[in-house]
Amino acid sequence: MDKRTTDFGYEKVAFEEKAGRVADVFHSVASRYDTMNDLMSMGVHRVWKRITIERSGVRRGHKVLDIAGGTGDLTAKFSKRVGDQGQVVLADINSSMLNVGRDKLTDLGLCNNIEYVQANAEALPFESNTFDCITIAFGLRNVTDKAKALRSMARVLKPGGRLLVLEFSKPVNPVFSKVYDEYSFRVLPKLGQWVANDPDSYRYLAESIRMHPDQETLKHMMEQAGLERVEYTNLTGGVVALHRGIKL
C-alpha cells in the first residue's frame, strides 16, 4: 500500500485519497463552473486562455490534447483552428466536467473534430508521439503526482510538439500578493456560497493555488520530465503563469 501523502489544499491526505477528494469538488461545481470562472477572475480568464491559444502554434491539421479540459473553452478554440483535417481531444478525469463540456460544445455545433476521453493525466491512454500540442489549463495543481503527469504528457507529444501549462502561480509584487490573499480567502468562498452553494470547494481551490509549485519550480519539473526550451510568462502580475516547453 502506498503510504505517501500529498496536499489537498492545506490538508495532508494519503496519495490514493486525493483523486477522489478532488473529484468530489468538481462534481459539485461542474454545473456552475463557467459562471464562477467569470465571477472569480472578472472575465480575465478569457484573456489568459486567448494568450495560451496564441502561444500554442496550433494550425490546421494538427492533433491537440486539452487535458483537464473541463467545460471546453480551449477545446472550442482549438477545434476551429485545426479544421476538418485536424482533431482535438478533450480529456478530463471528472465525468461531470466532461459531460458539461460535451453538452456545451455540442450546443455550439462543434463536434465533427472533437473526441471526449475520461482520462487521468498521470497515465494518459494514448500512444507515444501522438499530439502536436498539449494544454492543461488550471488542472495541474489538482493532480496527485504532478511529475508523473508531466512525464505522461511528454511521452504522448510528438517530437517538436509543445506542452503549455496555464496555472495559478505566485504574484511577483508582495503588496499585490497580500491583496490577492485577502480576495482568495475572504471573497472566493463567499462567491462559492452565493452562486454554487458550496463555499468549501472554493476554499479548497484557494488553498490548492497556494500549495502549487512556483514559476521556477514548475519550469524545473517540466525540464525533468524531458521537455526542452522551457519558458514561462507571468500574467496579471504572476497571479497566473503560462509555461511552455518543447519535446525535441
Side-chain angles (χ1 to χ4, degrees):
M1 183 177 177
D2 193 339
K3 295 183 179 180
R4 291 177 295 171
T5 61
T6 188
D7 301 311
F8 178 77
Y10 288 162
E11 183 182 352
K12 285 288 184 182
V13 298
F15 239 58
E16 64 270 17
E17 185 182 340
K18 179 170 179 176
R21 296 280 295 272
V22 171
D24 289 341
V25 168
F26 284 93
H27 285 313
S28 175
V29 304
S31 64
R32 298 297 183 110
Y33 187 78
D34 285 343
T35 300
M36 282 297 297
N37 273 354
D38 282 329
L39 286 172
M40 288 188 302
S41 71
M42 291 168 281
V44 179
H45 75 98
R46 299 179 185 277
V47 177
W48 299 331
K49 290 170 181 174
R50 186 169 68 244
I51 292 170
T52 302
I53 296 287
E54 291 169 355
R55 300 279 178 88
S56 70
V58 167
R59 57 184 185 273
R60 295 188 70 81
H62 273 183
K63 189 166 186 177
V64 178
L65 173 61
D66 182 16
I67 301 174
T71 57
D73 284 351
L74 289 178
T75 292
K77 296 185 184 307
F78 280 132
S79 173
K80 295 174 182 177
R81 283 213 169 197
V82 303
D84 293 339
Q85 301 304 310
Q87 184 185 35
V88 184
V89 177
L90 192 163
D92 203 294
I93 195 172
N94 188 278
S95 59
S96 296
M97 294 291 287
L98 203 60
N99 288 336
V100 170
R102 181 189 290 111
D103 290 346
K104 177 173 138 182
L105 297 180
T106 300
D107 288 345
L108 290 172
L110 300 171
C111 55
N112 293 336
N113 61 357
I114 299 175
E115 180 182 353
Y116 302 89
V117 176
Q118 187 171 355
N120 186 335
E122 297 175 26
L124 293 168
F126 308 107
E127 293 186 4
S128 299
N129 308 317
T130 296
F131 297 97
D132 298 286
C133 180
I134 297 174
T135 57
I136 179 166
F138 307 113
L140 186 61
R141 74 181 187 281
N142 297 309
V143 173
T144 303
D145 191 333
K146 296 174 180 63
K148 185 177 181 181
L150 289 169
R151 292 194 298 271
S152 183
M153 295 176 213
R155 179 185 65 79
V156 301
L157 264 182
K158 292 179 181 178
R162 298 180 181 186
L163 169 63
L164 291 96
V165 181
L166 180 67
E167 188 55 270
F168 291 106
S169 200
K170 302 295 185 284
V172 295
N173 183 296
V175 175
F176 181 51
S177 183
K178 290 181 180 180
V179 174
Y180 179 51
D181 280 345
E182 286 292 308
Y183 174 75
S184 298
F185 290 103
R186 292 183 182 274
V187 178
L188 288 191
K190 290 180 180 178
L191 278 175
Q193 174 67 56
W194 174 46
V195 177
N197 195 29
D198 187 1
D200 291 341
S201 290
Y202 287 93
R203 189 172 295 108
Y204 157 73
L205 292 176
E207 293 176 359
S208 70
I209 290 167
R210 299 312 183 278
M211 301 305 294
H212 185 67
D214 64 18
Q215 290 90 324
E216 284 293 329
T217 302
L218 180 54
K219 177 184 176 183
H220 179 69
M221 290 173 68
M222 291 175 66
E223 291 168 342
Q224 290 294 104
L227 295 158
E228 305 283 346
R229 288 155 51 184
V230 180
E231 59 185 10
Y232 63 85
T233 303
N234 285 321
L235 305 174
T236 316
V239 167
V240 164
L242 175 61
H243 284 70
R244 183 176 67 174
I246 298 173
K247 179 177 178 178
L248 298 181

